[in-house]
Amino acid sequence: MNNAWHKEMLAEVRAGGRISDQDIVEKVRRAVLMQRLPPDTKLPEVTLGEVFGVSRSVVRKALTRLASEHVVDQRPNQVARVRAPSIEETRETFEARRLVEGEVAAQLAGRLDAEVMATLETQARLEAEAHERGDEPARIEHSLTIHHLLAEHSPNRVLGAMLTDLVLRTSIVIALYKRPSLASCYLENDHPRLLDRLGKGDGEAARACVHDHLHSLEALLDLRPRENSIDLMSILGRTAEES
Amino acid sequence: MNNAWHKEMLAEVRAGGRISDQDIVEKVRRAVLMQRLPPDTKLPEVTLGEVFGVSRSVVRKALTRLASEHVVDQRPNQVARVRAPSIEETRETFEARRLVEGEVAAQLAGRLDAEVMATLETQARLEAEAHERGDEPARIEHSLTIHHLLAEHSPNRVLGAMLTDLVLRTSIVIALYKRPSLASCYLENDHPRLLDRLGKGDGEAARACVHDHLHSLEALLDLRPRENSIDLMSILGRTAEES
DNA sequence: GAAACCTTTTTTGTATACAGTTTCATCGTT
DNA sequence: AACGATGAAACTGTATACAAAAAAGGTTTC
């Protein structure tokens, strides 16, 4: 698994109280999102159980839920691993998110109350500041919060839930396929511009803005087909993952 | 639960061999779809275990998966029940499905190979025939097959999976909110027309066709707000949300 | 030196036991 | 007769034990 992460979790768990399967889901999801648990990391049930101080029953339930969230790959008789979506799936995920988030934004335009708009603008500002000072984890956090808030306030809760899922999945693949040369996947004015259009109530402009944003984001990734290195990597490369 | 269904399952299980959690998921999902297990039906773990001849561990896994498919409602310390989506959620589910299935149809137009098109047309014909002779279960079966095939052949597998989920959910709410006066929710020419446009390769026409179809379907339901029982239930019953 | 084979270890699959919670019916009080 | 308390039964939450499968390691053979 990942030893530094172990330690942190252990400390946190000892401090806190009882741990439920939902807590585990959230902590693992977050760790994947923050790139503390890279793709293909093994997640054995007993180890996770020790980390969180619970038995396999609880871990198992958490892993099943993480699998249905597409965060983890759970194959019969094999240890669960952090999922590593293919390049093709990455493209498809972005496309799906454009469709769904575009619609959500269009519906949301002009319907957000002042309080939420203020929170969104604060998060956009905090994101910019985090980027200024090079604090990438904080930047990701604020960026995610923005999209999460849009999903949460979607008038259509079904679409909202779908968007939450897609935001998570795109975040994972961004971490996976980010061009190594880029320090961050920050797009200077995209979020402020989107918020502006949401505030002005122009649904179609907001939709277009979301489309542009997601196309730009996708363009920051290196989605060229790997000749066969993917296969080599997953077959040869993953021996060093002790615990 | 449901005693007739019990008996059937028991017979089937004795005949077959070993049962996995995935088998249980499929059998329960199908039973819900076919209205053998009406909404709010309790699904106690031990009972299900006896029915399928497995222990609670397996049933539990199946139930959590069914919950993430939105088929079952699993609240802490309470017996799982077949989910009964609200009227509002029903509307939102239809809207989401229009968005997703419309896009899938648009992408699919002109790209379906002859074999799949033939299968689709066969299913449409079988649906019409089943309707002629008043065989509603068979009609539903064929109708579902059509939409399932579209989802399965979607070039975008992510959208395809989302569509599969939405088709399931709309089927459940159709069963729930169908006007009692209607024998069936059959729309004479919708499927053949859609297949025709898919074959002709006109994406936008196909999308429009899907939109019309789903609007018509939704219009066959009785989605007027119920005065008392449902709303009271869902409002008063919400004291124990999960964290 | 590499491939095939066998043994050992690790890890998951399933059943089961026990504890904690909810539900429901019964009984007593007003 | 309605209301609330009480206790039993039903059910879920969690831990654990054992069986089966997969992975790892080491040995032999070519």
Side-chain angles (χ1 to χ4, degrees), chain B residues 21 42 53-58 61 77-78:
Chain B
D21 60 292
K42 289 202 232 181
V54 295
S55 81
R56 280 179 56 211
S57 332
V58 185
K61 186 162 183 180
N77 289 318
Q78 291 186 216

Side-chain angles (χ1 to χ4, degrees), chain A residues 44-45 56 60 77-79:
Chain A
E45 297 175 0
R56 281 179 55 211
R60 231 150 181 323
N77 288 319
Q78 290 185 215
V79 328

Side-chain angles (χ1 to χ4, degrees), chain A residues 79-95:
Chain A
V79 328
R81 285 162 178 272
V82 176
R83 235 185 125 214
S86 69
I87 290 175
E88 205 190 344
E89 183 179 328
T90 300
R91 287 214 176 84
E92 297 173 348
T93 307
F94 267 95
E95 187 177 63

Side-chain angles (χ1 to χ4, degrees), chain A residues 175-194:
Chain A
L176 227 189
Y177 292 112
K178 182 178 65 182
R179 289 197 150 81
S181 53
L182 267 58
S184 106
C185 288
Y186 179 61
L187 293 161
E188 186 90 21
N189 289 312
D190 279 22
H191 286 161
R193 191 188 310 143
L194 171 60

